[in-house]
Amino acid sequence: MTTGGTPHATEDDRGEKNGVRTALAGLTTRGRSFLAAGVAAAICAYVLGQSDLLRVGLLLAALPLVCATVLYRTRYRVAGSRRLSPARVPAGSEARVHLRMDNVSRLPTGLLMLQDRVPYVLGPRPRFVLDRVEAGGRREVSYRVRSDLRGRYPLGPLQLRLTDPFGMCELTRSFSTYDTLTVIPRVEPLPPVRLTGEAKGYGDGRQRSLALAGEDDVIPRGYRYGDDLRRVHWRLTARYGELMVRREEQPQRSRCTVLLDTRGLAYQGAGPDSAFEWAVSGAASVLVHMLERGFSVRLLTDTGTSVPGEGAEGFAGASQESADAAGLMMDTLAVVDHSDGAGLSRAYDVLRGGNEGLLVAFLGDLDEEQAAVAAKMRQRSGGAVAFLLDSDTWVREPTDVPGPLDGSEERLRMLREAGWTAVSVPRGASLNELWRRADRERTGLAAAGGEGRS
């Protein structure tokens, strides 16, 4: 990602009153001291009648003014660009920002001080001193940024500070463009367990879909330009008197919906180690894991918002779309925040529309009513796994003795009776271990109940 341009407001106000004010405002402490000393010497020379002292005073006062005028009228034409590597980075990881300055004028520049504006969460504001840049020359510098908090952070605009050789005046020029660094949630690698009873995301031995022409291929159809002649159904061709093409089948991608509970009243605490941030990171990990296994996936929140929201019923299906879909979902999770909703009814309305395949939910605190709504979500899914976070345990001091979790245990029981594989998430738990635990619990329930479904 690059941005470029030349500093603005360098010549438009030249010769105007505001230009004079800008030049005088750029005087450094040294320049102001020289100017004050020169004025004082001139006044003393006038009072005492010392002509030699008057010449010294005029010289002292004129030097900073001349430097400011020359610096302000200097026609530096400098182009700047910025490149992020990478532009999307997980929380806690570093990204490098590369800055490049090109002198596009025919005159060499003086000493340049380069400064880039960055949010405080990314680190200190980077500053660089560039030596004289020859005509047509370039200088490249870089710095690192890092954030433990996900989000989208603007970088820029780039500022260029010009100074004269005597240090009497400094002027700041700004570029008009900026870039955006996206800090996505941390993604934890997950083991390839069989939570849905399938070995592959393409669903071996399960329902299959039609290829090439989609719904039109439920029965043999007429020949279309570009169809393979090996697919011609000759018997039906003879019956109908026109070329008829056989249908073909291809494996149907198994579906996975990741439900993220973002209700503000369902979580307590804030910061990178809070329960809500764990849930967001867990949702990102499951999405990436399922995409890698070949599943068609989508992200669903309690507000009913579905991402990516395109394709077959909102799922990201085609393999060529997986990377774009993953980027879109990661960008959504980078900026997701607490919602004002009080329940999960909107998400339930989306889920009851059809068979959703595997449902993986990250839920905060549930009351009895919302636990009942979550229990009904299981009816439309081929498999359902819930990670239930009791946020009270996440804000309690580690030295405290944990109290009874009757409410949390009751919610877990309700979900399990409805067919969920429900797992409680303690403070600081590893999703990798909980993922394996959910697989073991589901396998144990299937063995005990003699379930043959996946």
Side-chain angles (χ1 to χ4, degrees):
M1 180 180 298
T2 61
T3 59
T6 56
H8 61 78
T10 54
E11 299 179 9
D12 294 341
D13 55 357
R14 179 174 300 163
E16 300 180 359
K17 292 183 179 179
N18 58 343
V20 176
R21 296 193 192 100
T22 301
L24 294 179
L27 290 176
T28 62
T29 302
R30 179 184 299 177
R32 295 176 186 273
S33 300
F34 268 68
L35 181 60
V39 172
I43 294 176
C44 293
Y46 176 77
V47 173
L48 300 177
Q50 298 291 330
S51 57
D52 294 336
L53 182 59
L54 178 60
R55 286 191 290 269
V56 173
L58 293 177
L59 176 62
L60 292 176
L63 182 59
L65 297 178
V66 171
C67 291
T69 302
V70 172
L71 181 63
Y72 185 79
R73 297 181 64 86
T74 298
R75 293 197 176 191
Y76 287 150
R77 295 184 59 195
V78 181
S81 63
R82 181 190 300 105
R83 177 172 57 88
L84 305 182
S85 178
R88 184 188 291 117
V89 62
S93 300
E94 290 185 345
R96 183 169 289 275
V97 182
H98 301 269
L99 303 178
R100 172 176 164 178
M101 303 300 299
D102 294 272
N103 183 11
V104 296
S105 67
R106 298 181 179 180
L107 299 176
T109 69
L111 190 66
L112 303 179
M113 287 179 287
L114 193 63
Q115 177 178 275
D116 205 6
R117 290 185 178 180
V118 300
Y120 72 95
V121 296
L122 297 182
R125 181 172 296 183
R127 294 180 175 89
F128 304 94
V129 177
L130 304 180
D131 294 333
R132 176 179 178 272
V133 182
E134 64 280 3
R138 71 178 59 168
R139 296 291 185 270
E140 295 184 2
V141 293
S142 65
Y143 63 93
R144 295 176 295 179
V145 291
R146 179 182 181 273
S147 175
D148 292 327
L149 300 175
R150 56 185 177 81
R152 293 172 63 87
Y153 301 102
L155 300 179
L158 199 62
Q159 291 183 333
L160 193 64
R161 300 179 66 184
L162 312 176
T163 182
D164 65 282
F166 301 101
M168 298 290 181
C169 183
E170 289 182 356
L171 296 180
T172 301
R173 296 290 182 256
S174 296
F175 292 84
S176 58
T177 56
Y178 64 91
D179 289 303
T180 301
L181 175 68
T182 303
V183 180
I184 62 176
R186 295 184 180 91
V187 175
E188 184 175 351
L190 300 179
V193 300
R194 297 182 59 183
L195 288 173
T196 59
E198 297 177 357
K200 296 180 180 179
Y202 286 97
D204 297 344
R206 292 177 64 89
Q207 179 184 4
R208 303 175 72 85
S209 63
L210 306 177
L212 299 180
E215 298 295 335
D216 295 339
D217 281 340
V218 175
I219 60 175
R221 58 171 174 82
Y223 176 82
R224 298 173 183 172
Y225 179 77
D227 286 338
D228 192 343
L229 291 178
R230 290 174 296 181
R231 296 176 54 210
V232 174
H233 196 295
W234 296 109
R235 182 179 301 177
L236 291 177
T237 297
R239 177 183 301 178
Y240 291 103
E242 61 176 332
L243 285 177
M244 302 297 294
V245 180
R246 294 190 309 268
R247 66 178 183 177
E248 289 188 358
E249 294 182 338
Q250 67 177 3
Q252 180 183 11
R253 283 173 169 259
S254 298
R255 292 178 172 182
C256 176
T257 298
V258 178
L259 172 61
L260 176 62
D261 182 7
T262 64
R263 295 173 300 139
L265 54 81
Y267 299 94
Q268 301 180 34
D273 298 326
S274 64
F276 180 67
E277 292 301 324
W278 191 97
V280 173
S281 177
S285 301
V286 173
L287 287 170
V288 172
H289 176 71
M290 288 303 179
L291 279 173
E292 291 175 350
R293 293 188 62 193
F295 279 70
S296 296
V297 300
R298 71 172 173 180
L299 171 66
L300 179 65
T301 66
D302 59 287
T303 62
T305 303
S306 179
V307 181
E310 299 178 355
E313 300 181 17
F315 288 85
S319 58
Q320 61 267 24
E321 299 174 354
S322 296
D324 295 337
L328 180 59
M329 288 184 285
M330 290 299 105
D331 289 345
T332 302
L333 290 175
V335 297
V336 70
D337 202 355
H338 292 295
S339 69
D340 298 328
L344 302 173
S345 58
R346 293 183 180 178
Y348 173 70
D349 292 339
V350 175
L351 291 173
R352 69 179 180 180
N355 185 5
E356 304 300 330
L358 175 63
L359 174 60
V360 181
F362 292 86
L363 305 173
D365 294 333
L366 299 176
D367 55 23
E368 185 175 354
E369 179 183 356
Q370 298 310 315
V373 175
K376 292 189 296 183
M377 296 179 182
R378 172 65 178 86
Q379 300 172 0
R380 291 294 183 177
S381 61
V385 182
F387 297 95
L388 189 59
L389 292 90
D390 182 10
S391 61
D392 182 60
T393 64
W394 286 72
V395 297
R396 184 185 299 125
E397 292 296 331
T399 56
D400 292 348
V401 178
L405 302 177
D406 296 338
S408 177
E409 292 297 334
E410 177 64 20
R411 307 299 178 254
L412 287 171
R413 183 190 63 80
M414 293 179 61
L415 294 178
R416 287 166 180 167
E417 289 180 351
W420 284 82
T421 302
V423 179
S424 178
V425 181
R427 179 178 182 179
S430 169
L431 179 60
N432 188 296
E433 294 298 326
L434 295 179
W435 191 252
R436 295 178 184 273
R437 177 182 168 186
D439 179 53
R440 291 193 300 267
E441 291 189 6
R442 178 175 175 82
T443 303
L445 288 175
E451 294 181 354
R453 66 182 181 182
S454 58

